Every structure is written in C-alpha cells, then in structure tokens.
Amino acid sequence: QVRLVESGGDSVQAGGSLRLSCATSGYSYSRYCLGWFRQSPGKEREGVATLYGGGGDTNYADSVKGRFTISQNNAKNMLFLQMRSLKPEDTAMYYCVANEYNIFFGCAKLLSSEPKFWGQGTQVTVSS
C-alpha cells in the first residue's frame, strides 16, 4: 500500500525558503507519478509540482515556476519540494501525492487531476 508522510512545514517570512520532505513507500517508483498539492482555506486545491518516479518529467504550476523545485533522492524513497522566494499566497497545507503513471499523458496531467494517494499534509505559513 502506498504510504506518504510529509514533514518540513513551518512558518517563515516572505522572501524566505523552506524545504518539504515526503517519505514514500509501498509502491513501484517506475509505475507512479509523485507530486505536491496544496490547499488553503477558501481556495480550491491546487497541483503545485509533479514528477515521474522513474526520473524526469517534472511539471510545475505557473504560480510556482522558477521558485519551487521538486526532486527525489537516489533511493527513490524521499520526495522533496524546495521552495524559494516564498509569498504570503503560498500559505497552505501542502500534501504529498502519488498516482499511477500514464504513458500517454505523463505526469503533467496529474497537476489538474485528483491523485489517488495522499499524505496527511504539512502546514506552510508565509507572513508578510
């Protein structure tokens, strides 16, 4: 069973940086897309970044391009989201997600889809 456990959420000031981590287990990395979603009160859930578990195929929401970087470790059991130049509008609960890889759509489509597997979330608060 896919298991996703996030950590690293914190309160930071605008312009600061933060790195989120997600311990992943229970799946075959070459058959999954992994990613990060976020949701803040009163706003729709947003796909932030995705990548292919086998490597490559990274995708970002326009709102975070150039500021956020998604990556995983060589052992393929940790997913990261490096966030820079944080803004108050980045304040949200951040979720690590996973979904089966689709060879026709790649992992980009996951940004606008409903992932099958979710972690419990980690809170990021950016103050101005």
Side-chain angles (χ1 to χ4, degrees):
Q1 179 163 348
V2 178
R3 187 162 186 255
L4 309 168
V5 181
E6 305 95 333
S7 61
D10 205 345
S11 295
V12 297
Q13 290 199 327
S17 299
L18 203 59
R19 188 174 87 153
L20 304 183
S21 300
C22 174
T24 65
S25 61
Y27 70 105
S28 175
Y29 63 82
S30 64
R31 298 174 63 182
Y32 277 79
C33 295
L34 302 171
W36 293 92
F37 272 57
R38 67 185 181 185
Q39 187 165 26
S40 52
K43 292 186 178 180
E44 287 192 3
R45 193 176 290 170
E46 178 186 23
V48 174
T50 63
L51 59 67
Y52 170 51
D57 192 14
T58 56
N59 307 276
Y60 297 93
D62 288 343
S63 57
V64 306
K65 273 181 186 175
R67 300 188 299 122
F68 290 12
T69 303
I70 187 172
S71 64
Q72 57 182 334
N73 65 346
N74 289 335
K76 310 291 189 190
N77 58 6
M78 292 292 296
L79 182 72
F80 305 104
L81 185 68
Q82 179 67 53
M83 304 184 291
R84 297 182 175 88
S85 301
L86 283 161
K87 305 174 182 179
E89 50 263 45
D90 293 319
T91 295
M93 184 71 79
Y94 283 72
Y95 297 92
C96 180
V97 300
N99 204 73
E100 286 93 346
Y101 177 71
N102 186 306
I103 193 170
F104 298 106
F105 301 118
C107 296
K109 191 172 175 65
L110 182 59
L111 283 173
S112 57
S113 304
E114 179 72 15
K116 185 174 181 180
F117 301 100
W118 294 76
Q120 84 286 353
T122 187
Q123 178 68 37
V124 172
T125 303
V126 184
S127 58
S128 57

